[in-house]
Amino acid sequence: MPVAFDEMNGLDEEVRTAYAVLDDWLKGQSPELLGQRCQEAELLFRRIGITFAVYGEAESTERLIPFDVIPRILSSTEWDFLRRGLEQRVRAINMYLNDIYSQRAILKAGIVPEELVFQNPQFRPEMNGQRVPHNIYVHIAGIDIVRVDEKTFYVLEDNARTPSGVSYMLENREIMLRLFPDLFSRYRVAPVENYPDELLTTLKSVAPTTASADPTVVLLTPGIYNSAYFEHSFLADKLGIELVEGRDLLVKNGVVFMRTTEGPKRVDVIYRRVDDDFLDPLAFRPDTELGVPGLMSAYLGGNVTLANAVGTGVADDKAVYSYMPEIVKFYLSEEPILSNVPTWRCREPEHLSYVLDHLPELVVKIVNGSGGYGMLVGPAASKAEIATFRARLEAHPENYIAQPTLALSTCPTLVEKGIAPRHIDLRPFVLTGRDQIRIVPGGLTRVALQNGSLVVNSSQGGGTKDTWVLDR
Amino acid sequence: MLSRTADNLYWVARYVERAEYLARILEVTMRLTSLPIAYVGSRNEWESAVATAGCSKAFAASFSEANEANVMEFLAFSPQNPSSICNCIELARTNARAVRTAITSEMWDVINGAWLELRRFGNSPGSREEFMRFLRWVQEISLRFDGSAFRTMLRNDMFWFSRLGLNIERADNTARILDKKYHLLLPADAPIGGPLDYYQWAAILRSVSALTSYHWVYREGLKPWLIADLLILNPQMPRSLTSCYDNLVRYCDSIATAYGRQGPAQRQARAIRARLQNSRMEEIFQNGLHEFIEEFIADNNQLGAAVTRQYLM
């Protein structure tokens, strides 16, 4: 495996400019002191109540995501590049979704294979020929980005359904400001605290045209047992909007209301953190109690905005992902600014045979899985694991894509034996409103805490770091 | 405010208050059973504890005999008893978590801390000393939760709904604890107002931390009608039925004023308070204390139902 690019030391142990001050500052800190700061951070997190429910662990259903006190730093030049690339990508995703549910020009042009769309479980026929308010499907996107060298950033995944993690971006910064005021005074770190305001502005901007001048926005959560419930209540609180569950809403004459102590109150925009399948038992899964009967009819009647729209999963599926560069070119007639990780589509026979021949060096992913479940990391897998996976791959090649094992960049991280490099990624959040696209400078940096591990998902033992974008 | 939020706030307060009440019943029962039989007469204290907690039926489904071990386990820890102390704390915490941002961090700290600490006590009474410590701890939690709510909540509808829950539960509990005397059978030949009676009434006052208050207010030996007066009619006594209803009328009115309209809940609260204001101790005893209390408990439940229908669903 190639040597990983280090965010602080590059490839040649020479401290990169953005990290010079941090490096200097770190030299003046003893590991004991930093360890103590780490404990203080954990205490603060616990007090605030930031926990994360882990599926399949009965014992500890509420756990803290480990937090690392050493920040990840991006220069303003790096950020400008990422910001332009993110804007372009999200703009293309929205155009693609509008197209898929109306003209289907991209399918007719033969750029994206039809079956990838029509046989995709995330494709929603209910949305065919519908117009969503202001033609925006993805209001909130979380684009996962990795870096492999000084110049190369790859998009690893587009999260266009209900991306989570932004509460950690906000809380990590709050805690860092409390713990290390001195370090902040030596840098000019762009603030992220305006994210809730930007989000609320975005959500209000996409209210149906029939709504009042000051539309009512709510956040729809599956409830307290959902793994991201903390984030839902955190955001509702910061936005100053009601945190509702399905049973708090009702649909009457095609209009959505919430049940309040003063009687029913009209709802105009629903920031929903509930998957499509569970939104409305009359339209989707009939066995769910999380949703609101009749919500889809109110939505299709144009009386309420759902953010994100229904059916966006057909854009962030891992098989569609491999076509993103072509999608960008098709709609915008521009070269994509952000590249994809080179990807083999196992549905194509030549690609499949290459993948089968090179399993031990590849990462193979299921096309519509998330959270790091059901993937094969070739170099880390045993012979038996590879054999099992090969069988699954041969049985259903169309369910998989493969990518080279990337040497993800590393960042200095406080571990038991002091400071050591650990692999990281980055999830910035892109907000698309009626008027403009807004991106708060920063995002969630996830770190794989195990030595050599590439899996950063919090459900798989990953941690987080504060992400600093330097102001010029 | 969302109806569900109001509902959660209302029930957090109720469950915390109920946990405290159960702890008090168990404590006073332990005290009664530690007296020699000549001073208390009967030996059915544990049975009466179950009756006072209002869960005789559920108890009979799990246990055949109302002895110390069974009752302690059932009222304090049993998962089969929906109103056991452990379940109350668990439910209070679940309700609090659902409205995490509507309650203050001080309140959350108390309830979440209690929930975490509950595991340390395990789920059996252990020794009598340990159990007594547990009961004290539960009362402490309730005191801290109530204090945090009182000192840190904004005085708006969130606070009012939480106080409605607290006062409806407290009124119910005071009524039931007073009725405990009815469940403690006096031997047929014991004179009313005799020594046996004395220890039972003293235990009841003690269970609501009112023994000292009694002496301050009446400056007399323990008399049943004065004790009933203290717990039912005396407005100085913070957990008397009258005090609870002064609060309930006030908070119902606050809500009605804020929302610009009133309904059955306001009328029901005022009707019950008027009945209390027009009652005299002599009449209550003439018509039967037990009957009076039973009627009150039913009326109080009706207020709970009215609040639920009007605001919480």
Side-chain angles (χ1 to χ4, degrees):
Chain A
M1 194 166 140
V3 180
F5 172 82
D6 190 74
E7 300 274 341
M8 182 183 249
N9 299 313
L11 286 169
D12 48 9
E13 300 288 309
E14 193 171 315
V15 178
R16 298 173 61 241
T17 325
Y19 282 83
V21 176
L22 175 66
D23 182 56
D24 200 42
W25 180 85
L26 275 176
K27 284 184 181 131
Q29 310 288 316
S30 68
E32 291 74 34
L33 195 71
L34 282 176
Q36 208 181 321
R37 293 283 192 243
C38 252
Q39 281 174 1
E40 279 174 45
E42 196 182 314
L43 211 69
L44 286 169
F45 274 120
R46 234 178 242 291
R47 289 266 313 259
I48 309 168
I50 294 198
T51 55
F52 178 84
V54 181
Y55 295 118
E57 264 185 62
E59 274 305 296
S60 57
T61 47
E62 288 168 36
R63 202 174 67 184
L64 280 182
I65 294 189
F67 171 68
D68 185 68
V69 293
I70 302 174
R72 184 262 184 89
I73 306 177
L74 291 163
S75 70
S76 54
T77 323
E78 287 167 337
W79 178 253
D80 280 347
F81 168 76
L82 290 177
R83 191 177 44 75
R84 283 187 296 117
L86 290 164
E87 266 199 52
Q88 181 196 48
R89 188 141 176 140
V90 170
R91 192 169 287 133
I93 289 176
N94 271 312
M95 294 175 82
Y96 165 76
L97 284 164
N98 272 296
D99 186 29
I100 286 295
Y101 290 112
S102 57
Q103 307 297 319
R104 298 185 182 142
I106 200 162
L107 304 185
K108 287 174 191 151
I111 304 215
V112 173
E114 281 193 357
E115 65 270 27
L116 264 194
V117 173
F118 298 134
Q119 289 173 20
N120 192 316
Q122 296 298 327
F123 176 74
R124 303 290 169 192
E126 294 82 355
M127 297 301 290
N128 277 338
Q130 301 292 341
R131 278 179 64 93
V132 297
H134 316 291
N135 294 327
I136 302 167
Y137 272 81
V138 181
H139 310 84
I140 301 117
I143 310 288
D144 289 349
I145 289 178
V146 294
R147 177 180 211 172
V148 290
D149 60 44
E150 180 76 48
K151 291 264 168 276
T152 318
F153 292 88
Y154 288 132
V155 172
L156 193 63
E157 212 170 291
D158 303 286
N159 294 286
R161 281 171 265 181
T162 56
S164 60
V166 79
S167 57
Y168 296 97
M169 169 181 92
L170 295 169
E171 284 301 285
N172 288 355
R173 176 64 54 83
E174 279 307 305
I175 282 179
M176 287 297 283
L177 280 166
R178 273 204 240 182
L179 294 181
F180 304 108
D182 178 44
L183 183 55
F184 274 93
S185 71
R186 303 184 196 194
Y187 271 112
R188 291 180 50 142
V189 182
V192 293
E193 66 193 45
N194 55 332
Y195 179 83
D197 284 348
E198 301 281 51
L199 177 57
L200 189 60
T201 309
T202 299
L203 292 169
K204 285 190 172 175
S205 80
V206 295
T209 41
T210 55
S212 70
D214 187 21
T216 301
V217 183
V218 300
L219 195 159
L220 176 65
T221 173
I224 62 168
Y225 298 108
N226 184 268
S227 65
Y229 179 73
F230 161 75
E231 176 158 303
H232 305 162
S233 70
F234 175 90
L235 283 176
D237 201 29
K238 295 282 177 215
L239 268 66
I241 61 178
E242 290 290 355
L243 176 65
V244 303
E245 294 179 18
R247 57 194 157 121
D248 298 321
L249 298 180
L250 70 144
V251 177
K252 214 170 146 185
N253 301 329
V255 175
V256 183
F257 295 91
M258 60 177 159
R259 299 170 209 271
T260 79
T261 50
E262 294 174 83
K265 183 174 181 209
R266 183 171 174 164
V267 171
D268 304 303
V269 181
I270 302 179
Y271 174 23
R272 50 93 169 213
R273 298 290 296 261
V274 171
D275 290 340
D276 287 355
D277 273 338
F278 303 98
L279 273 180
D280 179 353
L282 300 180
F284 305 113
R285 275 173 63 158
D287 58 338
T288 174
E289 286 173 14
L290 299 178
V292 188
L295 181 57
M296 267 309 271
S297 70
Y299 179 52
L300 297 179
N303 292 329
V304 69
T305 300
L306 294 178
N308 292 347
V310 171
T312 57
V314 78
D316 71 359
D317 164 283
K318 290 190 182 70
V320 174
Y321 160 88
S322 65
Y323 294 92
M324 277 309 295
E326 286 94 324
I327 290 175
V328 171
K329 277 182 236 165
F330 183 78
Y331 294 109
L332 300 171
S333 313
E334 293 170 9
E335 279 303 310
I337 299 170
L338 290 171
S339 334
N340 264 9
V341 178
T343 302
W344 290 275
R345 304 163 185 141
C346 300
R347 57 196 305 281
E348 295 175 19
E350 318 87 87
H351 286 204
L352 176 64
S353 69
Y354 177 88
V355 171
L356 288 172
D357 289 344
H358 296 82
L359 273 183
E361 59 202 65
L362 297 174
V363 177
V364 189
K365 297 174 178 174
I366 196 153
V367 290
N368 43 31
S370 66
Y373 295 103
M375 64 190 276
L376 175 82
V377 182
S382 69
K383 281 205 168 128
E385 282 167 336
I386 289 181
T388 324
F389 214 87
R390 177 187 300 276
R392 268 194 263 164
L393 189 52
E394 281 170 333
H396 294 287
E398 70 282 3
N399 284 349
Y400 297 91
I401 54 152
Q403 292 168 341
T405 314
L406 298 177
L408 301 190
S409 65
T410 57
C411 186
T413 299
L414 191 64
V415 295
E416 265 179 42
K417 289 181 189 139
I419 297 174
R422 289 290 181 268
H423 296 293
I424 56 170
D425 76 350
L426 174 67
R427 177 181 288 183
F429 295 88
V430 183
L431 302 173
T432 307
R434 190 181 57 203
D435 47 346
Q436 64 176 101
I437 292 182
R438 298 175 171 84
I439 310 176
V440 167
L444 175 66
T445 293
R446 296 185 295 179
V447 51
L449 293 172
Q450 305 253 322
N451 190 13
S453 168
L454 291 170
V455 185
V456 295
N457 299 79
S458 42
S459 50
Q460 310 268 315
T464 68
K465 279 172 173 291
D466 192 11
T467 311
W468 292 7
V469 172
L470 300 186
D471 215 26
R472 39 185 104 251
Chain B
M1 178 174 34
L2 277 185
S3 296
R4 184 172 50 82
T5 305
D7 188 60
N8 288 133
L9 289 165
Y10 172 89
W11 282 104
V12 175
R14 278 198 83 152
Y15 282 122
V16 172
E17 185 69 18
R18 187 174 296 173
E20 176 190 329
Y21 168 65
L22 289 163
R24 287 178 178 278
I25 294 182
L26 284 165
E27 198 178 331
V28 72
T29 309
M30 282 175 81
R31 194 178 170 95
L32 276 176
T33 55
S34 63
L35 285 170
I37 192 139
Y39 291 83
V40 276
S42 69
R43 279 280 92 132
N44 67 340
E45 298 92 348
W46 290 109
E47 210 174 306
S48 86
V50 175
T52 313
C55 49
S56 302
K57 260 194 201 149
F59 182 82
S62 301
F63 296 98
S64 54
E65 194 196 342
N67 57 27
E68 175 172 333
N70 290 351
V71 174
M72 279 180 178
E73 194 200 315
F74 186 74
L75 292 188
F77 304 106
S78 172
Q80 272 80 49
N81 175 7
S83 286
S84 68
I85 292 177
C86 284
N87 268 336
C88 282
I89 293 177
E90 177 87 38
L91 286 165
R93 199 252 182 188
T94 308
N95 276 283
R97 189 162 176 243
V99 286
R100 174 60 196 85
T101 53
I103 61 173
T104 62
S105 56
E106 285 83 356
M107 293 162 76
W108 172 250
D109 274 355
V110 175
I111 200 72
N112 193 44
W115 180 77
L116 290 168
E117 211 172 330
L118 195 58
R119 295 161 181 208
R120 267 209 338 210
F121 284 101
N123 51 4
S124 70
S127 70
R128 290 193 117 209
E129 285 73 23
E130 278 174 77
F131 191 59
M132 194 60 107
R133 266 201 299 281
F134 171 75
L135 297 177
R136 285 272 147 199
W137 171 79
V138 174
Q139 293 172 58
E140 192 98 340
I141 293 298
S142 166
L143 206 56
R144 280 176 48 206
F145 183 77
D146 188 33
S148 311
F150 190 75
R151 290 184 57 155
T152 60
M153 279 185 97
L154 284 175
R155 292 320 193 244
N156 57 16
D157 45 359
M158 293 192 187
F159 180 72
W160 301 327
F161 279 111
S162 145
R163 290 281 133 171
L164 286 188
L166 174 95
N167 281 289
I168 288 180
E169 185 69 26
R170 186 174 289 173
D172 181 82
N173 296 344
T174 301
R176 283 180 195 277
I177 222 156
L178 199 51
D179 205 30
K180 184 176 171 69
K181 185 72 177 65
Y182 174 83
H183 296 286
L184 278 168
L185 300 175
L186 281 174
D189 55 346
I192 303 281
L196 296 186
D197 225 18
Y198 177 87
Y199 289 106
Q200 292 174 5
W201 281 113
I204 283 163
L205 277 180
R206 221 183 271 282
S207 72
V208 290
S209 312
L211 191 55
T212 312
S213 307
Y214 177 92
H215 292 299
W216 274 95
V217 173
Y218 302 102
R219 306 193 178 280
E220 277 201 57
L222 298 184
K223 303 267 165 41
W225 52 90
L226 290 182
I227 290 169
D229 181 66
L230 183 69
L231 294 185
I232 295 174
L233 299 182
N234 197 314
Q236 294 177 40
M237 177 68 194
R239 63 176 308 142
S240 72
L241 304 187
T242 295
S243 291
C244 289
Y245 266 82
D246 282 346
N247 289 331
L248 286 168
V249 168
R250 170 162 9 118
Y251 296 126
C252 277
D253 284 349
S254 302
I255 293 168
T257 310
Y259 294 171
R261 88 181 109 158
Q262 53 174 312
Q266 281 76 17
R267 285 191 283 277
Q268 173 79 356
R270 278 199 293 268
I272 298 177
R273 184 176 63 168
R275 219 167 300 143
L276 287 167
Q277 281 171 339
N278 295 330
S279 294
R280 295 163 54 83
M281 227 49 241
E282 294 77 13
E283 284 165 15
I284 291 177
F285 268 81
Q286 258 164 27
N287 300 331
L289 179 61
H290 175 64
E291 286 70 21
F292 175 85
I293 289 173
E294 270 196 326
E295 199 184 325
F296 174 83
I297 289 174
D299 287 348
N300 190 50
N301 283 342
Q302 267 183 26
L303 174 62
V307 168
T308 302
R309 270 197 306 276
Q310 198 171 326
Y311 297 111
L312 309 182
M313 44 196 281

